[in-house]
Amino acid sequence: MKKTPFRIGTTSYIIPADILPNVAYLAGKVDDVELVLFEVEEGGGNLPDENTLAQLAEIAARDSLTYTVHLPLDLRLGDDDLSRERSTRKALQVMRVTEALNPFAYVLHLDGRSVQQEYLSPAWQAWRGRTHTALAELIAFLEKPALLAVENLDHYPPDFWDEVLEGLPVSRCIDVGHLWVNGHDPLPYLEKHIAAARVIHIHGHTQRDHQSLSVIPPAELERVIGFLVESRFKGVLTMEIFGEQDFQTSCAALSAVLQRVHLEVKWKNH
């Protein structure tokens, strides 16, 4: 069997510990670790310090590991000028700190809840303009603008970000779990945006999302993975789950699907 064309990863919060012990635990088991930097305040939070960064770089070099960096969740890039300035500053802070790790992507939420019910209205257009201004500042920091991967969110129309991102050289983070939890078939969305996708997030859902892939019907999981294989996706597929048991059962579910599509994945030390 051939190996998967894409890299397989998970989050930096699988065992109940900080980022470095998690990366040490995951090294050799996955190809990529999503550094979950949700709790960032200016000058603090869970941003890695220089010693931690050095150890993360050492692990990456030793185990052929890459990192995706999930930017903070509280960014409000388009709400008003003050929010835009604060959010841009925070995002750039995280990007500067983690730049030495040569991230595969920076995953970004474009929070549009302030205009979510006013899609395409004048208020939405103003939000879009401020968002473009903020994105331009983030893009200017990057040598490759496509390293900035904008994620689709739950409880939004799937096409909410299409006009926002039109003409911008950013990439997509397609969150299949968010589409599932809102009752959307992910295949049309994947077909529409896979060419611009750098990262795919996948996770199960019952009463909540970000659960093990084992709760997804195998045939549905196979539809998605089969599409990624057929489309020759070569980015990162992140099992966006949080917990050791969910990680283990997700690995098992994904391995079973990959075997059915005649691909191989080796979970070392697993």
Side-chain angles (χ1 to χ4, degrees):
M1 290 191 295
K2 296 185 295 182
K3 193 179 183 301
T4 57
F6 43 82
R7 301 178 69 77
I8 298 175
T10 193
T11 73
S12 60
Y13 285 110
I14 296 301
I15 59 173
D18 291 333
I19 286 176
L20 186 57
N22 268 275
V23 171
Y25 168 78
L26 292 167
K29 295 182 175 71
V30 294
D31 305 310
D32 183 273
V33 176
E34 178 186 81
L35 301 180
V36 182
L37 302 178
F38 291 170
E39 303 166 8
V40 174
E41 298 301 330
E42 293 189 32
N46 70 337
L47 272 177
D49 58 23
E50 288 188 12
N51 180 58
T52 299
L53 287 168
Q55 292 183 72
L56 291 174
E58 183 179 338
I59 292 170
R62 184 191 69 207
D63 292 283
S64 299
L65 191 70
T66 55
Y67 297 110
T68 49
V69 174
H70 201 308
L71 296 173
L73 294 180
D74 62 347
L75 301 180
R76 302 289 183 269
L77 295 174
D79 282 4
D80 55 57
D81 288 338
L82 182 59
S83 296
R84 174 179 56 78
E85 292 169 4
R86 288 175 175 170
S87 297
T88 303
R89 188 165 59 246
K90 180 181 285 192
L92 286 172
Q93 178 192 13
V94 174
M95 293 164 74
R96 290 190 184 100
V97 167
T98 58
E99 182 182 18
L101 297 175
N102 191 28
F104 186 84
Y106 296 93
V107 176
L108 171 67
H109 286 190
L110 290 183
D111 192 313
R113 74 185 71 176
S114 63
V115 293
Q116 190 173 355
Q117 305 304 320
E118 303 175 79
Y119 184 44
L120 300 181
S121 70
W124 183 91
Q125 296 290 355
W127 173 85
R128 177 195 183 201
R130 290 188 293 268
T131 299
H132 269 219
T133 299
L135 288 173
E137 292 185 57
L138 300 185
I139 290 169
F141 173 78
L142 299 168
E143 184 176 343
K144 297 179 180 179
L147 293 179
L148 191 64
V150 178
E151 180 179 345
N152 58 292
L153 306 178
D154 56 344
H155 305 300
Y156 286 78
D159 57 356
F160 185 86
W161 297 272
D162 287 1
E163 291 194 32
V164 181
L165 301 180
E166 186 177 1
L168 293 177
V170 299
S171 64
R172 294 264 185 164
C173 170
I174 299 177
D175 194 307
V176 172
H178 287 162
L179 295 168
W180 274 331
V181 79
N182 289 145
H184 299 297
D185 181 350
L187 266 295
Y189 193 89
L190 284 164
E191 290 168 355
K192 184 176 182 180
H193 296 297
I194 193 65
R198 191 167 180 85
V199 180
I200 305 291
H201 286 174
I202 195 164
H203 45 93
H205 66 93
T206 52
Q207 289 82 16
R208 59 179 177 81
D209 55 4
H210 298 287
Q211 296 190 40
S212 170
L213 294 178
S214 64
V215 305
I216 297 298
E220 177 62 15
L221 188 56
E222 187 171 340
R223 288 178 73 231
V224 171
I225 300 303
F227 175 83
L228 297 181
V229 172
E230 291 173 8
S231 64
R232 300 178 182 176
F233 174 65
K234 294 182 179 178
V236 169
L237 174 69
T238 301
M239 298 179 290
E240 200 173 43
I241 39 88
F242 304 91
E244 192 170 2
Q245 183 176 358
D246 279 358
F247 174 65
Q248 292 172 350
T249 54
S250 292
C251 289
L254 185 57
S255 293
V257 168
L258 289 170
Q259 288 177 13
R260 290 198 295 274
V261 295
H262 307 294
L263 288 175
E264 179 183 27
V265 60
K266 295 180 179 179
W267 308 109
K268 304 174 187 176
N269 305 318
H270 184 64

